[in-house]
Amino acid sequence: MTDRISPDELERLLAAKSVRLLDVRRPADRAAAGGGIPGAEWRSPEEAEAWAHELAPDKPVVIYCVRGGSVSAAVHATLTAKGCDVRILDGGLAAWEAHRGKG
């Protein structure tokens, strides 16, 4: 696996229940857009250092922000430095919604 996955790949992983999905949008972005991907747990991107220990090292994690850019990249860097198996949803929530026909 690479560090980024497509919405198609995420859909397969979610169907197999083989990944933990984290919404790491900034609070303001989350409040403005609402919603998110069903089953995702929200975690503050600014506090990734503090919650990284909650992630099981044996279960892959997929994170997403609004567009899969700088917020996801920063959280990815923090989590991988802590030894987590983490991927970024390429294109973020926008790509997921487009993939699901909502965008």
Side-chain angles (χ1 to χ4, degrees):
M1 272 193 180
T2 66
D3 285 348
R4 292 189 172 266
I5 67 167
S6 71
D8 280 336
E9 291 171 290
L10 176 59
E11 197 164 38
R12 284 192 292 277
L13 291 170
L14 291 173
K17 296 182 179 3
S18 61
V19 69
R20 185 170 180 181
L21 182 61
L22 300 180
D23 175 347
V24 296
R25 291 177 290 166
R26 291 184 182 109
D29 292 333
R30 192 166 176 255
I37 300 173
E41 305 164 50
W42 181 77
R43 293 289 187 270
S44 171
E46 291 86 8
E47 297 172 14
E49 193 80 37
W51 53 259
H53 73 279
E54 298 172 15
L55 304 177
D58 60 338
K59 186 159 188 179
V61 175
V62 174
I63 59 174
Y64 72 89
C65 61
V66 177
R67 297 207 184 317
S70 60
V71 174
S72 287
V75 173
H76 180 272
T78 298
L79 298 180
T80 54
K82 298 279 187 185
C84 299
D85 180 5
V86 61
R87 307 288 180 264
I88 297 171
L89 175 59
D90 202 20
L93 182 58
W96 175 263
E97 289 178 342
H99 167 74
R100 302 289 290 181
K102 299 176 184 171

